[in-house]
């Protein structure tokens, strides 16, 4: 799953990678269509805003409020953490600022962060292996991978990176159990 | 009050002004004062206002201060405001100073090495008759305990009392006691926890505050064989901060232990990162949300 060609910096991962368990192979069909967000469907935009470091607190509050309308239980906090990790990553490594989009489809919620930084070096791709307890970093993006149901990382040809995380919401007409 | 002393610096003859930011911090400091007083052989007299006697005893016990035997033996006493400061519905400095003078003598007669008095002063936030004698009371209490085997610690909420009263009160105490603080702003407070010993973090924290947290953890790891990291009032932490805590846990010495108390989502993050799998580490998730 992490063996896409080096030239095409586009990877699709599903959560089974993060857990290091089930061999992948099915994520593209589910993941790339939805994550690309280009295939018709009933998309509803929830957030689209620029951010920098001083906005992190408010950004988390906003994402939490919107996520709580489609997710339940600890998945709301999962999405808030995902958003903050992606935004922090753009602030710290992607030029100090970025744009966050949050949107829903009938069965999922997506969080996408775009920055104008140097792009993701291959070494910075979310590690599939969990960082060791004594490791100095790498946990933020690993947690994003672990808590999302699918994740893509795209480097723009002109520089900059776009990271999109998805959490499934199931059929919202019936209450979700968890 | 800029250079507040630590609880463990209290000595007989001291009259100290303890300031705190919230109920948790107050009870932590009171637990440490009670613990030290009992250990040194003093009788401990707690005057409680916001909590009932039973609730205060429960809070202290919950922090690891054993009170069963010392309550039976009379080494530990808990009195209410209505029995002390406001015994006949109003406050009189002379009456309370006389009461404490009698308690100091009684502690000596009963064979204790001294008396440790610690009073919740929250009653002084209410419109009580005689409140104008507060400064006079504090001044006389300094004289009363000086050169005796008694210690007096008065607890003032630094966010509830107005600054003029706080400044006046502080001026009438020999010195100030407060939790050692590593960071304090509107979003985040990192301070030393005294009983059980460790660090308390409340509010929300991300990578920007990794430095004060690292310092706090480093100092606690140097001091405590069993370090308690109290995150019960921490509403958010990011992956960098979880990493700082993971690294601290990974650095524990062979005889050291670490107990982390946190909310449900932090518990989920720690679980994902493998914190509970480390030997010598216990993660306790609070479910009262």
């Amino acid at each position: 799953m992490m063996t896409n060609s080096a030239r095409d910096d586009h990877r699709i991962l599903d959560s089974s990678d993060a857990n290091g368990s089930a061999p992948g192979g099915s994520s593209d069909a589910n993941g790339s269509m939805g994550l690309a967000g280009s295939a018709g469907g009933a998309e509803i935009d929830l957030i689209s805003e620029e951010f920098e470091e001083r906005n992190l607190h408010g950004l988390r509050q906003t994402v939490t409020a919107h996520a709580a309308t489609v997710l339940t239980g600890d998945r709301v906090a999962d999405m808030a953490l995902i958003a903050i990790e992606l935004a922090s990553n753009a602030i710290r490594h992607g030029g100090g600022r970025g744009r966050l989009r949050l949107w829903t489809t009938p069965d999922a919620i997506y969080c996408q962060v775009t920055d104008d930084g140097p792009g993701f070096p291959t070494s910075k791709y979310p590690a599939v292996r969990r960082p060791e307890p004594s490791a100095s970093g790498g946990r933020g993006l690993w947690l994003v991978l672990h808590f999302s149901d699918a994740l893509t990382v795209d480097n723009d040809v002109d520089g900059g990176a776009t990271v999109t995380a998805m959490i499934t919401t199931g059929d919202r007409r019936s209450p979700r159990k968890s | 009050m800029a250079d507040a002393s630590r609880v463990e610096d209290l000595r007989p003859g001291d009259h100290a002004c303890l300031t705190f930011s919230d109920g948790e911090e107050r009870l932590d400091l009171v637990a440490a004062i009670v613990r030290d007083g009992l250990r040194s052989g003093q009788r401990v007299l707690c005057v409680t206002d916001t909590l009932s006697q039973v609730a205060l005893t429960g809070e202290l016990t919950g922090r690891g201060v054993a009170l069963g035997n010392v309550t039976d033996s009379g080494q530990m006493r808990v009195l209410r405001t209505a029995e002390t400061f406001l015994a006949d519905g109003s406050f009189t400095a002379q009456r309370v100073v006389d009461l404490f003078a009698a308690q100091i003598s009684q502690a000596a007669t009963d064979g204790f090495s001294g008396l440790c008095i610690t009073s919740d002063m929250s009653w002084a936030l209410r419109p009580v008759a005689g409140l104008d004698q507060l400064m006079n009371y504090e001044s006389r209490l300094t004289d009363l305990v000086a050169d005796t085997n008694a210690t007096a610690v008065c607890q003032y909420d630094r966010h509830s009392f107005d600054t003029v009263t706080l400044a006046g009160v502080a001026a009438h105490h020999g010195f100030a006691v407060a939790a050692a603080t590593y960071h304090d702003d509107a979003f985040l407070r990192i301070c030393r926890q005294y009983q059980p010993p460790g660090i308390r973090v409340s509010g929300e924290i991300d990578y920007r505050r990794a430095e004060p947290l690292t310092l706090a953890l480093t100092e606690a790891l140097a001091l405590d064989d069993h370090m308690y990291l109290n995150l019960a009032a921490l509403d958010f932490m990011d992956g960098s901060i979880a990493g700082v805590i993971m690294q601290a846990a990974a650095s524990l010495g062979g005889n050291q232990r670490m107990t982390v108390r946190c909310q449900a989502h932090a518990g989920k993050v720690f679980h994902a990162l493998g914190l509970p799998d480390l030997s010598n580490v216990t993660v306790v998730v609070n479910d009262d949300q």
Side-chain angles (χ1 to χ4, degrees):
Chain A
M1 297 302 295
M2 292 293 287
T3 57
N4 295 309
S5 73
R7 194 162 296 281
D8 173 22
D9 279 332
H10 180 198
R11 302 179 183 214
I12 308 281
L13 303 163
D14 67 23
S15 58
S16 62
D17 292 317
N19 297 323
S21 52
S26 63
S27 65
D28 291 52
N30 174 32
S32 61
M33 284 294 284
L35 291 177
S38 57
E43 281 187 19
I44 302 171
D45 284 326
L46 301 175
I47 301 174
S48 177
E49 61 184 53
E50 309 275 341
F51 62 81
E52 48 192 85
E53 193 168 60
R54 63 189 171 85
N55 308 122
L56 275 176
H57 171 77
L59 196 64
R60 183 166 60 82
Q61 310 275 37
T62 312
V63 169
T64 300
H66 283 289
T69 64
V70 291
L71 295 171
T72 55
D74 59 1
R75 297 301 269 161
V76 177
D78 287 351
M79 182 48 95
L81 180 65
I82 287 168
I84 287 305
E85 293 300 346
L86 295 182
S88 302
N89 193 65
I91 290 164
R92 298 171 80 185
H93 308 294
R97 59 178 60 237
R99 166 171 288 277
L100 182 142
R101 282 187 62 217
L102 193 74
W103 74 92
T104 59
T105 63
D107 55 6
I109 179 168
Y110 295 83
C111 178
Q112 182 177 78
V113 169
T114 307
D115 67 53
D116 297 322
F120 263 70
T122 308
S123 64
K124 286 280 187 182
Y125 273 75
V128 173
R129 278 180 62 90
R130 186 173 79 185
E132 291 299 316
S134 58
S136 61
R139 291 183 185 82
L141 290 173
W142 183 84
L143 287 167
V144 169
L145 182 62
H146 184 76
F147 285 152
S148 55
D149 293 320
L151 182 71
T152 61
V153 178
D154 292 287
N155 276 335
D156 267 343
V157 263
D158 307 329
T162 299
V163 187
T164 311
M166 181 270 274
I167 290 181
T168 56
T169 54
D171 184 348
R172 262 170 268 145
R173 284 166 300 186
S174 60
R176 187 187 162 101
K177 292 193 180 75
S178 74
Chain B
M1 303 215 295
D3 50 349
S5 302
R6 304 200 175 189
V7 172
E8 54 264 40
D9 297 331
L10 282 170
R11 296 289 176 269
D14 285 338
H15 176 210
C17 178
L18 182 163
T19 53
F20 58 91
S21 292
D22 57 44
E24 273 286 311
E25 192 172 303
R26 179 179 81 88
L27 289 165
D28 172 46
L29 289 161
V30 169
I33 289 164
V34 171
R35 174 199 64 197
D36 293 349
L38 293 174
R39 269 187 199 160
S40 72
Q42 287 183 311
R43 167 175 281 160
V44 176
L45 172 60
C46 286
V47 180
T48 186
D49 184 79
T50 39
L51 295 177
S52 71
Q53 287 153 299
V54 171
L56 177 64
T57 304
E59 290 286 351
L60 296 176
T61 306
R63 285 168 173 75
V65 183
L67 293 177
N69 292 337
V70 294
T71 304
D72 294 342
S73 73
Q75 193 183 357
M76 173 77 182
R77 285 184 175 173
V78 182
L79 298 177
R80 289 174 297 122
T81 301
E83 301 168 280
T84 50
F85 293 101
L86 305 178
D88 50 15
S90 63
F91 176 61
T92 314
Q94 182 67 51
R95 191 193 63 234
V96 181
V97 170
D98 288 348
L99 170 75
F100 286 154
Q103 290 281 343
I104 292 171
S105 304
Q106 187 66 48
T109 306
D110 292 347
F112 295 102
S113 68
L115 180 70
C116 173
I117 306 166
T118 184
S119 309
D120 179 356
M121 301 301 282
S122 303
W123 58 270
L125 289 165
R126 300 194 288 271
V128 172
L131 200 53
D132 55 325
Q133 297 178 41
L134 184 62
M135 300 304 164
N136 177 267
Y137 159 76
E138 293 290 13
S139 170
R140 292 167 74 169
L141 191 58
T142 301
D143 297 338
L144 176 68
V145 300
D147 303 320
T148 70
N149 287 326
T151 314
V153 184
C154 308
Q155 310 153 22
Y156 286 90
D157 183 337
R158 68 167 69 91
H159 296 309
S160 296
F161 282 91
D162 65 276
T163 50
V164 175
T165 302
L166 271 183
V169 158
H172 286 94
H173 287 79
F175 63 92
V177 172
T181 304
Y182 296 92
H183 185 87
D184 190 18
D185 65 23
F187 294 112
L188 171 68
R189 183 170 170 85
I190 305 172
C191 62
R192 176 94 177 130
Q193 175 173 286
Y194 294 89
Q195 179 63 32
I199 297 295
R200 182 164 168 266
V201 187
S202 56
E204 50 193 72
I205 183 169
D206 64 23
Y207 64 92
R208 288 169 287 179
R209 302 296 179 218
E211 197 172 317
L213 179 65
T214 302
L215 176 64
L217 289 170
T218 304
E219 291 194 0
L221 287 171
L223 286 168
D224 307 324
D225 291 334
H226 186 169
M227 187 196 121
Y228 287 80
L229 180 58
N230 182 350
L231 308 179
L234 185 69
D235 299 322
F236 176 77
M237 71 169 179
D238 71 0
S240 308
I241 295 301
V244 167
I245 294 165
M246 291 294 299
Q247 286 180 276
S251 78
L252 288 171
N255 298 322
Q256 273 186 309
R257 291 177 63 202
M258 182 168 162
T259 296
V260 181
R261 182 176 291 278
C262 62
Q263 297 182 16
H265 199 259
K268 184 177 180 181
V269 170
F270 285 136
H271 186 82
L273 292 172
L275 183 62
D277 305 333
L278 294 176
S279 60
N280 302 350
V281 176
T282 308
V283 177
V284 182
V285 172
N286 275 12
D287 279 329
D288 55 340
Q289 297 164 57

